[in-house]
Amino acid sequence: MSNTLQTQLLVIGGGLAGFAAALSAAEAGVNVLLLEKTAAAGGSSAMSGGCLAFAGTDLQHQRGIEDSAELLFRDLVEVGKGECDEAIVRAYSDHQLATYEWLKAHGVSFQPVIEAASGQSVPRVHNVDPADMVRQLQQAALNTGKVEVLYNSRALRLLRDAAGRVVGVSAEQAGQALEVHAARGVILACGGFVHDRELIHRFAPQYDQAVFIGGAGNEGDGLRMAWAVGADVRDMVHIKGTYGKHPMDENNHHACLAVYKGAIAVNQEGRRYVDESLSYKLLGDACMQQSYGVTYQILDRDIMHSGDNRVRILDFERRLEEGLFVQADSLEQLAKLLELPEAQFLAEVAAYNEAVSKGETPAFGRRHLVHLHGQLRTISSPPFYAYPSTAAVFGTYCGVKIDAQMRVYDVFGAPIEGLLAAGEMVGGLHGAAYMTGSALGKAAIFGRLAAANAVNG
């Protein structure tokens, strides 16, 4: 193999954002080389819960759900507590429906829309098999004859010409030095940094003891390469874990969110400590502030049976079969099994049940099951269950500063010519919290937008 390769467009990263960009550029007639650090495609995208947030789709219409790009925009800004870049949010909301149709056209199969999830004022979770989605886009990209993929290829440094434009990368493939020159520039789609504990500690030391789950290549390579050419960053202070990961189970890489069906969360002292209807990112923050960073989701028979096996975070019966729930015939027995202060725990559940029964607002201001949806329910029908829960960092949800065309900006507020970014490694969309489905959503949407800019810019 030559030590130097030439291509029109270079994409770094073989997850959803990378293949969405590569396929879109190929469809526009551009030759693409994609470098993937590991031996296989997928990355964190393939390990996700498979939720994408889209508005105004045919699946919503079939259920009589009224949604729009404007409502999606408002929800994203609200759940982000105004800390997001509204131009980036607008790019998401304006281009999401076309991206949904594009994914469908490439054979991606979506499950029927279920009830509203974190940060959603109407139901807009469009669920897929995430690994299969990436495989389909990968194959479609290869089928164009314009996309070449190099695995075991780690990008190391961005290359710039005399005018400062990014024109390629220096890399390493299977231990051999490699340079790739790209006439139309470089798209960074190489994920976040969940597997770099030094970076996590630098920006979010409160999560030092959290569980970290993500693609094996997510070590901050893209962030460091962008930094080296002066890129600015956004939202680093808003790194958050997702509440609901079992602290002892290494086989299940997903959260369980019984709180969104009516469970309450109690700490090691047997006390509630948060409004359980909040974004699971904010629940993650609250959990990590409790003793040992581990709390319990408490539910009864009726809540257990209200789960939904179509959605991984709501598949309670599967988790029960796997032995991850603690089960008891009474709340007293459950307190003993969990080694919680029995009197305090019973009083806490009783106070919550009384408020719900009287139509009053329980402590911490909880009014709904999730976001603005669902009536609260008592926890009163045996058997009772507890799901030990901590916060897992599934993605860093922050990164380089971009504009609505996915151009990376430097610390002086100017675009870095020839450099675009998409997916997990960009900041600006989520802000202070997170809407279910917006991470995979932005990977697909922003990957396509980055490609469009590279093709037409």
PDB file of all heavy atoms in Angstrom, residues 395-423:
ATOM      1  N   GLY A 395     -22.243   8.544  26.409  1.00  0.00           N
ATOM      2  CA  GLY A 395     -21.717   9.463  25.416  1.00  0.00           C
ATOM      3  C   GLY A 395     -21.391  10.775  26.091  1.00  0.00           C
ATOM      4  O   GLY A 395     -21.947  11.097  27.143  1.00  0.00           O
ATOM      5  N   THR A 396     -20.489  11.537  25.502  1.00  0.00           N
ATOM      6  CA  THR A 396     -20.068  12.763  26.166  1.00  0.00           C
ATOM      7  C   THR A 396     -20.895  13.984  25.759  1.00  0.00           C
ATOM      8  O   THR A 396     -20.847  15.006  26.442  1.00  0.00           O
ATOM      9  CB  THR A 396     -18.568  13.002  25.909  1.00  0.00           C
ATOM     10  OG1 THR A 396     -18.210  12.572  24.592  1.00  0.00           O
ATOM     11  CG2 THR A 396     -17.752  12.208  26.898  1.00  0.00           C
ATOM     12  N   TYR A 397     -21.667  13.912  24.663  1.00  0.00           N
ATOM     13  CA  TYR A 397     -22.671  14.928  24.331  1.00  0.00           C
ATOM     14  C   TYR A 397     -22.134  16.357  24.332  1.00  0.00           C
ATOM     15  O   TYR A 397     -22.845  17.313  24.627  1.00  0.00           O
ATOM     16  CB  TYR A 397     -23.862  14.840  25.296  1.00  0.00           C
ATOM     17  CG  TYR A 397     -24.465  13.476  25.370  1.00  0.00           C
ATOM     18  CD1 TYR A 397     -24.218  12.638  26.455  1.00  0.00           C
ATOM     19  CD2 TYR A 397     -25.269  12.990  24.339  1.00  0.00           C
ATOM     20  CE1 TYR A 397     -24.756  11.356  26.514  1.00  0.00           C
ATOM     21  CE2 TYR A 397     -25.815  11.725  24.387  1.00  0.00           C
ATOM     22  CZ  TYR A 397     -25.549  10.916  25.480  1.00  0.00           C
ATOM     23  OH  TYR A 397     -26.080   9.660  25.540  1.00  0.00           O
ATOM     24  N   CYS A 398     -20.862  16.505  24.037  1.00  0.00           N
ATOM     25  CA  CYS A 398     -20.239  17.824  23.982  1.00  0.00           C
ATOM     26  C   CYS A 398     -19.092  17.725  22.992  1.00  0.00           C
ATOM     27  O   CYS A 398     -18.790  16.639  22.500  1.00  0.00           O
ATOM     28  CB  CYS A 398     -19.717  18.230  25.364  1.00  0.00           C
ATOM     29  SG  CYS A 398     -18.478  17.089  26.036  1.00  0.00           S
ATOM     30  N   GLY A 399     -18.448  18.831  22.701  1.00  0.00           N
ATOM     31  CA  GLY A 399     -17.311  18.724  21.793  1.00  0.00           C
ATOM     32  C   GLY A 399     -17.038  19.998  21.046  1.00  0.00           C
ATOM     33  O   GLY A 399     -17.236  21.100  21.570  1.00  0.00           O
ATOM     34  N   VAL A 400     -16.603  19.858  19.798  1.00  0.00           N
ATOM     35  CA  VAL A 400     -16.150  21.023  19.054  1.00  0.00           C
ATOM     36  C   VAL A 400     -17.321  21.938  18.706  1.00  0.00           C
ATOM     37  O   VAL A 400     -18.466  21.512  18.551  1.00  0.00           O
ATOM     38  CB  VAL A 400     -15.405  20.609  17.765  1.00  0.00           C
ATOM     39  CG1 VAL A 400     -14.131  19.850  18.125  1.00  0.00           C
ATOM     40  CG2 VAL A 400     -16.289  19.776  16.847  1.00  0.00           C
ATOM     41  N   LYS A 401     -16.981  23.209  18.603  1.00  0.00           N
ATOM     42  CA  LYS A 401     -17.992  24.203  18.238  1.00  0.00           C
ATOM     43  C   LYS A 401     -18.174  24.197  16.727  1.00  0.00           C
ATOM     44  O   LYS A 401     -17.203  24.279  15.973  1.00  0.00           O
ATOM     45  CB  LYS A 401     -17.560  25.589  18.704  1.00  0.00           C
ATOM     46  CG  LYS A 401     -18.596  26.670  18.414  1.00  0.00           C
ATOM     47  CD  LYS A 401     -18.158  28.018  18.960  1.00  0.00           C
ATOM     48  CE  LYS A 401     -19.219  29.086  18.670  1.00  0.00           C
ATOM     49  NZ  LYS A 401     -18.821  30.414  19.204  1.00  0.00           N
ATOM     50  N   ILE A 402     -19.431  24.111  16.311  1.00  0.00           N
ATOM     51  CA  ILE A 402     -19.760  24.092  14.881  1.00  0.00           C
ATOM     52  C   ILE A 402     -20.825  25.136  14.596  1.00  0.00           C
ATOM     53  O   ILE A 402     -21.441  25.700  15.513  1.00  0.00           O
ATOM     54  CB  ILE A 402     -20.284  22.705  14.440  1.00  0.00           C
ATOM     55  CG1 ILE A 402     -21.497  22.310  15.290  1.00  0.00           C
ATOM     56  CG2 ILE A 402     -19.182  21.655  14.508  1.00  0.00           C
ATOM     57  CD1 ILE A 402     -22.240  21.094  14.798  1.00  0.00           C
ATOM     58  N   ASP A 403     -21.054  25.394  13.311  1.00  0.00           N
ATOM     59  CA  ASP A 403     -22.201  26.201  12.918  1.00  0.00           C
ATOM     60  C   ASP A 403     -23.251  25.300  12.287  1.00  0.00           C
ATOM     61  O   ASP A 403     -23.111  24.069  12.284  1.00  0.00           O
ATOM     62  CB  ASP A 403     -21.778  27.339  11.979  1.00  0.00           C
ATOM     63  CG  ASP A 403     -21.235  26.853  10.633  1.00  0.00           C
ATOM     64  OD1 ASP A 403     -21.340  25.642  10.325  1.00  0.00           O
ATOM     65  OD2 ASP A 403     -20.692  27.702   9.882  1.00  0.00           O
ATOM     66  N   ALA A 404     -24.297  25.878  11.748  1.00  0.00           N
ATOM     67  CA  ALA A 404     -25.407  25.085  11.217  1.00  0.00           C
ATOM     68  C   ALA A 404     -25.036  24.325   9.952  1.00  0.00           C
ATOM     69  O   ALA A 404     -25.791  23.448   9.513  1.00  0.00           O
ATOM     70  CB  ALA A 404     -26.606  25.995  10.940  1.00  0.00           C
ATOM     71  N   GLN A 405     -23.879  24.631   9.370  1.00  0.00           N
ATOM     72  CA  GLN A 405     -23.390  23.878   8.211  1.00  0.00           C
ATOM     73  C   GLN A 405     -22.366  22.825   8.622  1.00  0.00           C
ATOM     74  O   GLN A 405     -21.728  22.213   7.779  1.00  0.00           O
ATOM     75  CB  GLN A 405     -22.761  24.832   7.188  1.00  0.00           C
ATOM     76  CG  GLN A 405     -23.761  25.692   6.443  1.00  0.00           C
ATOM     77  CD  GLN A 405     -24.293  26.831   7.305  1.00  0.00           C
ATOM     78  OE1 GLN A 405     -23.515  27.541   7.949  1.00  0.00           O
ATOM     79  NE2 GLN A 405     -25.604  26.994   7.342  1.00  0.00           N
ATOM     80  N   MET A 406     -22.174  22.642   9.902  1.00  0.00           N
ATOM     81  CA  MET A 406     -21.262  21.648  10.484  1.00  0.00           C
ATOM     82  C   MET A 406     -19.796  22.028  10.316  1.00  0.00           C
ATOM     83  O   MET A 406     -18.908  21.198  10.473  1.00  0.00           O
ATOM     84  CB  MET A 406     -21.504  20.240   9.917  1.00  0.00           C
ATOM     85  CG  MET A 406     -22.949  19.780  10.036  1.00  0.00           C
ATOM     86  SD  MET A 406     -23.526  19.704  11.743  1.00  0.00           S
ATOM     87  CE  MET A 406     -24.854  20.927  11.717  1.00  0.00           C
ATOM     88  N   ARG A 407     -19.521  23.296  10.029  1.00  0.00           N
ATOM     89  CA  ARG A 407     -18.144  23.759   9.966  1.00  0.00           C
ATOM     90  C   ARG A 407     -17.603  23.926  11.379  1.00  0.00           C
ATOM     91  O   ARG A 407     -18.283  24.484  12.248  1.00  0.00           O
ATOM     92  CB  ARG A 407     -18.047  25.084   9.207  1.00  0.00           C
ATOM     93  CG  ARG A 407     -18.504  25.009   7.766  1.00  0.00           C
ATOM     94  CD  ARG A 407     -18.349  26.348   7.069  1.00  0.00           C
ATOM     95  NE  ARG A 407     -19.178  27.384   7.706  1.00  0.00           N
ATOM     96  CZ  ARG A 407     -19.130  28.686   7.390  1.00  0.00           C
ATOM     97  NH1 ARG A 407     -18.283  29.102   6.452  1.00  0.00           N
ATOM     98  NH2 ARG A 407     -19.912  29.548   7.992  1.00  0.00           N
ATOM     99  N   VAL A 408     -16.391  23.471  11.615  1.00  0.00           N
ATOM    100  CA  VAL A 408     -15.763  23.612  12.928  1.00  0.00           C
ATOM    101  C   VAL A 408     -15.183  25.022  13.051  1.00  0.00           C
ATOM    102  O   VAL A 408     -14.544  25.525  12.123  1.00  0.00           O
ATOM    103  CB  VAL A 408     -14.651  22.563  13.118  1.00  0.00           C
ATOM    104  CG1 VAL A 408     -13.954  22.755  14.467  1.00  0.00           C
ATOM    105  CG2 VAL A 408     -15.241  21.155  13.018  1.00  0.00           C
ATOM    106  N   TYR A 409     -15.410  25.629  14.230  1.00  0.00           N
ATOM    107  CA  TYR A 409     -14.954  26.992  14.475  1.00  0.00           C
ATOM    108  C   TYR A 409     -13.766  27.007  15.425  1.00  0.00           C
ATOM    109  O   TYR A 409     -13.672  26.178  16.337  1.00  0.00           O
ATOM    110  CB  TYR A 409     -16.082  27.838  15.060  1.00  0.00           C
ATOM    111  CG  TYR A 409     -16.946  28.462  13.989  1.00  0.00           C
ATOM    112  CD1 TYR A 409     -17.668  27.670  13.100  1.00  0.00           C
ATOM    113  CD2 TYR A 409     -17.019  29.843  13.838  1.00  0.00           C
ATOM    114  CE1 TYR A 409     -18.437  28.234  12.100  1.00  0.00           C
ATOM    115  CE2 TYR A 409     -17.790  30.422  12.840  1.00  0.00           C
ATOM    116  CZ  TYR A 409     -18.497  29.609  11.973  1.00  0.00           C
ATOM    117  OH  TYR A 409     -19.246  30.180  10.981  1.00  0.00           O
ATOM    118  N   ASP A 410     -12.876  27.992  15.202  1.00  0.00           N
ATOM    119  CA  ASP A 410     -11.726  28.100  16.091  1.00  0.00           C
ATOM    120  C   ASP A 410     -12.056  28.983  17.294  1.00  0.00           C
ATOM    121  O   ASP A 410     -13.163  29.520  17.413  1.00  0.00           O
ATOM    122  CB  ASP A 410     -10.487  28.594  15.332  1.00  0.00           C
ATOM    123  CG  ASP A 410     -10.566  30.048  14.864  1.00  0.00           C
ATOM    124  OD1 ASP A 410     -11.409  30.815  15.389  1.00  0.00           O
ATOM    125  OD2 ASP A 410      -9.776  30.429  13.986  1.00  0.00           O
ATOM    126  N   VAL A 411     -11.079  29.143  18.190  1.00  0.00           N
ATOM    127  CA  VAL A 411     -11.324  29.873  19.439  1.00  0.00           C
ATOM    128  C   VAL A 411     -11.520  31.363  19.214  1.00  0.00           C
ATOM    129  O   VAL A 411     -11.939  32.083  20.126  1.00  0.00           O
ATOM    130  CB  VAL A 411     -10.160  29.648  20.425  1.00  0.00           C
ATOM    131  CG1 VAL A 411     -10.119  28.202  20.881  1.00  0.00           C
ATOM    132  CG2 VAL A 411      -8.819  30.043  19.804  1.00  0.00           C
ATOM    133  N   PHE A 412     -11.244  31.869  18.010  1.00  0.00           N
ATOM    134  CA  PHE A 412     -11.461  33.271  17.699  1.00  0.00           C
ATOM    135  C   PHE A 412     -12.776  33.496  16.953  1.00  0.00           C
ATOM    136  O   PHE A 412     -13.063  34.613  16.518  1.00  0.00           O
ATOM    137  CB  PHE A 412     -10.283  33.810  16.876  1.00  0.00           C
ATOM    138  CG  PHE A 412      -8.981  33.787  17.623  1.00  0.00           C
ATOM    139  CD1 PHE A 412      -8.011  32.857  17.299  1.00  0.00           C
ATOM    140  CD2 PHE A 412      -8.746  34.673  18.661  1.00  0.00           C
ATOM    141  CE1 PHE A 412      -6.810  32.826  17.992  1.00  0.00           C
ATOM    142  CE2 PHE A 412      -7.556  34.639  19.370  1.00  0.00           C
ATOM    143  CZ  PHE A 412      -6.574  33.712  19.037  1.00  0.00           C
ATOM    144  N   GLY A 413     -13.564  32.429  16.786  1.00  0.00           N
ATOM    145  CA  GLY A 413     -14.869  32.582  16.164  1.00  0.00           C
ATOM    146  C   GLY A 413     -14.882  32.521  14.661  1.00  0.00           C
ATOM    147  O   GLY A 413     -15.857  32.958  14.024  1.00  0.00           O
ATOM    148  N   ALA A 414     -13.843  31.970  14.084  1.00  0.00           N
ATOM    149  CA  ALA A 414     -13.775  31.844  12.622  1.00  0.00           C
ATOM    150  C   ALA A 414     -13.805  30.374  12.235  1.00  0.00           C
ATOM    151  O   ALA A 414     -13.259  29.526  12.949  1.00  0.00           O
ATOM    152  CB  ALA A 414     -12.505  32.497  12.093  1.00  0.00           C
ATOM    153  N   PRO A 415     -14.433  30.034  11.107  1.00  0.00           N
ATOM    154  CA  PRO A 415     -14.437  28.638  10.669  1.00  0.00           C
ATOM    155  C   PRO A 415     -13.045  28.183  10.263  1.00  0.00           C
ATOM    156  O   PRO A 415     -12.269  28.956   9.705  1.00  0.00           O
ATOM    157  CB  PRO A 415     -15.391  28.636   9.472  1.00  0.00           C
ATOM    158  CG  PRO A 415     -15.398  30.049   8.982  1.00  0.00           C
ATOM    159  CD  PRO A 415     -15.191  30.909  10.184  1.00  0.00           C
ATOM    160  N   ILE A 416     -12.738  26.934  10.584  1.00  0.00           N
ATOM    161  CA  ILE A 416     -11.479  26.322  10.158  1.00  0.00           C
ATOM    162  C   ILE A 416     -11.731  25.713   8.786  1.00  0.00           C
ATOM    163  O   ILE A 416     -12.461  24.713   8.666  1.00  0.00           O
ATOM    164  CB  ILE A 416     -11.020  25.258  11.172  1.00  0.00           C
ATOM    165  CG1 ILE A 416     -10.803  25.899  12.549  1.00  0.00           C
ATOM    166  CG2 ILE A 416      -9.739  24.572  10.688  1.00  0.00           C
ATOM    167  CD1 ILE A 416     -10.519  24.901  13.654  1.00  0.00           C
ATOM    168  N   GLU A 417     -11.177  26.312   7.774  1.00  0.00           N
ATOM    169  CA  GLU A 417     -11.478  25.892   6.404  1.00  0.00           C
ATOM    170  C   GLU A 417     -11.113  24.424   6.187  1.00  0.00           C
ATOM    171  O   GLU A 417     -10.063  23.948   6.609  1.00  0.00           O
ATOM    172  CB  GLU A 417     -10.721  26.759   5.405  1.00  0.00           C
ATOM    173  CG  GLU A 417     -11.149  28.220   5.396  1.00  0.00           C
ATOM    174  CD  GLU A 417     -12.620  28.394   5.039  1.00  0.00           C
ATOM    175  OE1 GLU A 417     -13.101  27.640   4.173  1.00  0.00           O
ATOM    176  OE2 GLU A 417     -13.269  29.274   5.626  1.00  0.00           O
ATOM    177  N   GLY A 418     -12.037  23.723   5.546  1.00  0.00           N
ATOM    178  CA  GLY A 418     -11.801  22.324   5.213  1.00  0.00           C
ATOM    179  C   GLY A 418     -12.115  21.339   6.322  1.00  0.00           C
ATOM    180  O   GLY A 418     -11.950  20.131   6.129  1.00  0.00           O
ATOM    181  N   LEU A 419     -12.601  21.819   7.493  1.00  0.00           N
ATOM    182  CA  LEU A 419     -12.856  20.917   8.623  1.00  0.00           C
ATOM    183  C   LEU A 419     -14.320  20.988   9.032  1.00  0.00           C
ATOM    184  O   LEU A 419     -14.837  22.063   9.372  1.00  0.00           O
ATOM    185  CB  LEU A 419     -11.967  21.272   9.810  1.00  0.00           C
ATOM    186  CG  LEU A 419     -12.061  20.329  11.019  1.00  0.00           C
ATOM    187  CD1 LEU A 419     -11.632  18.910  10.638  1.00  0.00           C
ATOM    188  CD2 LEU A 419     -11.218  20.843  12.179  1.00  0.00           C
ATOM    189  N   LEU A 420     -14.976  19.828   8.998  1.00  0.00           N
ATOM    190  CA  LEU A 420     -16.362  19.702   9.434  1.00  0.00           C
ATOM    191  C   LEU A 420     -16.443  18.601  10.479  1.00  0.00           C
ATOM    192  O   LEU A 420     -15.520  17.808  10.643  1.00  0.00           O
ATOM    193  CB  LEU A 420     -17.271  19.382   8.249  1.00  0.00           C
ATOM    194  CG  LEU A 420     -17.226  20.409   7.109  1.00  0.00           C
ATOM    195  CD1 LEU A 420     -16.551  19.781   5.899  1.00  0.00           C
ATOM    196  CD2 LEU A 420     -18.600  20.909   6.759  1.00  0.00           C
ATOM    197  N   ALA A 421     -17.555  18.558  11.189  1.00  0.00           N
ATOM    198  CA  ALA A 421     -17.711  17.535  12.221  1.00  0.00           C
ATOM    199  C   ALA A 421     -19.178  17.188  12.377  1.00  0.00           C
ATOM    200  O   ALA A 421     -20.071  17.986  12.057  1.00  0.00           O
ATOM    201  CB  ALA A 421     -17.127  18.011  13.554  1.00  0.00           C
ATOM    202  N   ALA A 422     -19.433  15.984  12.878  1.00  0.00           N
ATOM    203  CA  ALA A 422     -20.804  15.515  13.064  1.00  0.00           C
ATOM    204  C   ALA A 422     -20.822  14.430  14.128  1.00  0.00           C
ATOM    205  O   ALA A 422     -19.800  13.818  14.437  1.00  0.00           O
ATOM    206  CB  ALA A 422     -21.373  14.978  11.742  1.00  0.00           C
ATOM    207  N   GLY A 423     -22.014  14.194  14.667  1.00  0.00           N
ATOM    208  CA  GLY A 423     -22.186  13.115  15.626  1.00  0.00           C
ATOM    209  C   GLY A 423     -21.802  13.504  17.034  1.00  0.00           C
ATOM    210  O   GLY A 423     -21.895  14.670  17.431  1.00  0.00           O
TER     211      GLY A 423
END
